[in-house]
């Protein structure tokens, strides 16, 4: 509700440009249980269930649902058929990576560079688009924002 919006703007203005660090309790108050499970506990929504899986807007951008940090332009979103929103590039500096060795695999986890919220994983070498990157992102990790965000875009994995 309105309270959440006010808190959100307060956090944005006091910590713009800095890392956002909230306690587990503060995140629990800010996020829904589903959002908390994905963004803070690195959960995954079931394939094909996300609200943005089939959304291909003609404007705007996708921001972190945890802190509002702009992550992806509408132009970067493409249909990969994987069951989750897919993007082939991100706003420069918006996304960070970690090596994830869970489930006996070696994957590259992507997180919001500002609050470390879990977004999903990035896959390379599939040749689906020119960047050769597929950011496989949980819908509940991001929020679609209609207003444009002007910033340069880049691949997150540096060759």
């Amino acid at each position: 509700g309105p309270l959440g919006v006010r808190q959100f703007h307060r956090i944005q203005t006091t910590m713009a440009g800095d890392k956002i660090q909230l306690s587990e309790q503060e995140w629990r108050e800010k996020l829904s249980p589903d959002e908390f499970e994905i963004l803070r506990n690195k959960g995954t929504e079931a394939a094909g269930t996300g609200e943005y899986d089939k959304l291909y807007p003609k404007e705007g951008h996708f921001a972190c649902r945890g802190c509002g940090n702009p992550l992806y332009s509408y132009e970067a979103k493409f249909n990969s058929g994987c069951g989750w929103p897919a993007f082939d590039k991100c706003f420069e500096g918006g996304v960070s990576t970690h090596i994830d060795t869970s489930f006996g695999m070696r994957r590259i986890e992507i997180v919001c560079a500002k609050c470390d919220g879990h977004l999903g994983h990035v896959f390379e070498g599939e040749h689906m688009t020119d960047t050769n990157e597929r950011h496989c992102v949980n819908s509940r990790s991001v929020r679609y924002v209609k207003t444009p965000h002007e910033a340069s875009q880049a691949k997150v994995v540096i060759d």
Side-chain angles (χ1 to χ4, degrees):
L3 178 65
V5 173
R6 264 205 304 283
Q7 287 176 318
F8 171 78
H9 285 302
R10 184 174 51 98
I11 289 168
Q12 281 291 90
T13 49
T14 55
M15 309 187 81
D18 300 326
K19 284 292 244 192
I20 290 176
Q21 291 173 316
L22 300 180
S23 69
E24 181 176 333
Q25 188 53 42
E26 287 171 314
W27 280 120
R28 283 190 186 281
E29 288 166 14
K30 190 172 165 50
L31 303 170
S32 74
D34 282 345
E35 292 164 355
F36 183 87
E37 178 54 29
I38 293 170
L39 281 164
R40 307 317 307 175
N41 287 342
K42 305 186 190 304
T44 303
E45 65 204 9
T49 63
E51 65 177 307
Y52 300 136
D53 182 29
K54 301 273 190 278
L55 175 76
Y56 299 98
K58 299 276 184 272
E59 60 182 350
H61 67 282
F62 292 83
C64 175
R65 199 175 287 217
C67 72
N69 184 32
L71 303 170
Y72 299 104
S73 164
Y74 77 94
E75 318 158 292
K77 194 168 188 299
F78 73 100
N79 183 5
S80 70
C82 70
W84 290 274
F87 303 87
D88 69 353
K89 55 190 167 298
C90 56
F91 290 128
E92 243 173 314
V95 176
S96 299
T97 60
H98 299 295
I99 300 300
D100 171 5
T101 53
S102 63
F103 304 110
M105 296 182 277
R106 185 187 181 280
R107 297 181 294 169
I108 304 173
E109 180 196 6
I110 42 177
V111 299
C112 170
K114 199 159 186 177
C115 73
D116 289 324
H118 175 75
L119 303 175
H121 292 85
V122 62
F123 300 93
E124 299 177 280
E126 298 171 326
H127 302 283
M128 289 186 175
T129 72
D130 290 345
T131 65
N132 211 7
E133 271 191 4
R134 171 171 61 94
H135 293 235
C136 185
V137 176
N138 290 285
S139 287
R140 288 200 188 96
S141 295
V142 295
R143 181 167 277 120
Y144 172 64
V145 183
K146 265 206 160 89
T147 48
H149 178 71
E150 299 302 327
S152 51
Q153 299 174 69
K155 302 196 328 177
V156 75
V157 179
I158 307 304
D159 300 326

